[in-house]
Amino acid sequence: MSASVLFVCLGNICRSPLAEAALRAEAERAGLSVTVDSAGTGDWHVGSPPDRRAQAVALRHGIDISCYRGRQVTAGDFRRFDHVFALDSENLRNLRRIRPSDGTAELRLLMDLVPGREGSGVTDPYFGDDAGFDVTWDDVTRAAQAIVERLLEQE
Ligand code: 4NP
């Protein structure tokens, strides 16, 4: 049975869609079957496509994410997914509040999987310039590679 992974940030239009795209790409490269999705703790961008700067950085890496749509994380996600990764510590705090008592998902800070980056968040690029999205892409790609390694060990 393939593992399922949910990435959660604040708006679900910048960081978590890029994490979703990066994991899809890294898993495909490794021949690993995995169910991947993303969501936001906030509801401002429900139904919206990713930020155009997020779409652009993904496309520069050969991935079209224009079909992704924002959604808000739910308590049920903690029963549906094996792993829920928070993009930063504020997201993690909010997810701990949303998590139901019968939630089975592992909940972790995403960058805890990247050696040397434990405890750190993926910086929110929304209010910054285009270059911030390249930093986001690098961070989520390193994390996606770590997730794939971990899932391959568990297979
Ligand atoms: P994200 O970035 O959490 O990486 O999707 C943000 C997107 C939108 C907002 C904040 C962060 N916002 O305030 O609308």
Side-chain angles (χ1 to χ4, degrees):
M1 214 184 77
S2 71
S4 54
V5 175
L6 178 69
F7 296 104
V8 182
C9 63
L10 177 60
N12 192 212
I13 56 168
C14 298
R15 293 166 292 172
S16 62
L18 289 176
E20 177 182 348
L23 181 56
R24 287 183 190 282
E26 293 299 330
E28 194 178 321
R29 200 164 292 148
L32 177 75
S33 169
V34 57
T35 299
V36 194
D37 197 7
S38 64
T41 57
D43 65 358
W44 311 284
H45 302 286
V46 170
S48 301
D51 184 285
R52 64 180 66 250
R53 298 163 296 175
Q55 291 190 42
V57 73
L59 213 49
R60 283 201 291 282
H61 294 275
I63 306 166
D64 180 359
I65 62 168
S66 61
C67 61
Y68 290 14
R69 291 294 176 267
R71 75 170 179 90
Q72 191 173 24
V73 69
T74 66
D77 285 324
F78 288 92
R79 293 183 285 264
R80 287 175 45 220
F81 288 88
D82 300 316
H83 309 275
V84 175
F85 289 113
L87 274 280
D88 68 26
S89 52
E90 186 189 345
N91 306 147
L92 182 62
R93 267 196 308 278
N94 287 321
L95 286 167
R96 285 193 176 124
R97 276 201 287 269
I98 296 163
R99 178 187 202 149
S101 54
D102 64 346
T104 47
E106 173 202 41
L107 173 60
R108 285 190 78 179
L109 188 63
L110 179 64
M111 295 309 278
D112 274 355
L113 271 65
V114 178
R117 292 292 303 273
E118 298 90 345
S120 73
V122 176
T123 303
D124 188 347
Y126 184 67
F127 294 106
D129 58 15
D130 286 12
F133 284 79
D134 290 310
V135 175
T136 304
W137 181 261
D138 288 348
D139 283 354
V140 299
T141 295
R142 290 175 67 197
Q145 287 165 350
I147 292 171
V148 166
E149 276 174 32
R150 212 169 145 237
L151 293 177
L152 287 173
E153 282 167 12
Q154 289 169 7
E155 264 196 341

